[in-house]
Amino acid sequence: MTKFSNKKFLSFLHSNKKFLLFILLMSVFRSAVADWYSVPTGSMKPTIQEGDRIIVNKMAYDVRLPFTDVSLLSVATPKRGEIIVFESEAANLRLIKRVIGLPGDMVEMHNEVIMINGQRLSYKDSQSYIHQVNAKEITTSTEKIDNITHSINIDNSASNQLSNFSPVTVPAGHYLVLGDNRRHSADSRVYGFVPHQELRGKATAIAFSVDYANYYLPRSNRFFLDIYDI
């Protein structure tokens, strides 16, 4: 019986070797090279929305042994303004946030305004609108950090408990991260600094998006978008 089962198994492998090789290579690619991340929350609005499928470059910062978290080679470090995906031990979740502070930076926030090493970031209010679902007043501003300009949301009806923090210095090998939806993001203000070893890649683009509130139908205006050009 065992010999017969082994023959069947070997026959299956022989008959499907190309398909199985494709599955193996695809698994290695997604594990170590690139993958996509499904965004479940609105903590990165307006840049990223719930239902976006984000393409993540897993080799942006480290080359890792496939199917493990072991770094074989350090390639680069994140820059201010980049959006990273990381496995947060403190939150026990995979998170996606924007890098604000690098190792050695002194960062502070006063009434939503960020200062890095004593320099105030540039802001410009672009619009105010009423969120139709929850009837909340949202202010959308443009924030510039180094060479990256992006939008942030401020929900004026939400608690401002996270709108301020005193100067903190980012430790070596760590990063300070924030969500673009500033009053609705659990980030470094809640979970602390992000260690480099928790990084899993750099978010680069939106592959496609589905609307959770509309029967998961695709959003026609969110296909193949450069995440730094939204």
Side-chain angles (χ1 to χ4, degrees), residues 168-201:
V168 293
T169 300
V170 184
H174 292 71
Y175 307 95
L176 187 147
V177 301
L178 298 176
D180 290 348
N181 196 1
R182 291 288 157 82
R183 294 193 183 182
H184 293 287
S185 175
D187 41 46
S188 286
R189 296 170 293 180
V190 176
Y191 297 119
F193 303 110
V194 178
H196 184 92
Q197 62 265 26
E198 291 185 353
L199 303 188
R200 293 300 175 263

Side-chain angles (χ1 to χ4, degrees), residues 36-44 48 54 56 58 61 82-99 175 177-180 184-195 198-203:
W36 71 32
Y37 171 66
S38 298
V39 179
T41 73
S43 70
M44 284 295 292
I48 298 172
I54 306 299
V56 179
K58 290 194 165 185
Y61 308 124
E82 290 184 348
I83 299 174
I84 60 171
V85 172
F86 57 100
E87 297 286 349
S88 173
E89 182 177 342
N92 196 28
L93 288 170
R94 179 179 297 177
L95 300 176
I96 180 167
K97 305 293 177 185
R98 191 179 297 275
V99 175
Y175 307 95
V177 301
L178 298 176
D180 290 348
H184 293 287
S185 175
D187 41 46
S188 286
R189 296 170 293 180
V190 176
Y191 297 119
F193 303 110
V194 178
E198 291 185 353
L199 303 188
R200 293 300 175 263
K202 175 185 175 182

Side-chain angles (χ1 to χ4, degrees), residues 112-131:
E112 318 292 350
V113 174
I114 296 171
M115 295 185 68
I116 301 176
N117 299 323
Q119 299 295 313
R120 181 184 187 274
L121 298 188
S122 174
Y123 292 89
K124 180 180 179 182
D125 289 346
S126 54
Q127 61 176 322
S128 293
Y129 62 92
I130 303 298
H131 195 286

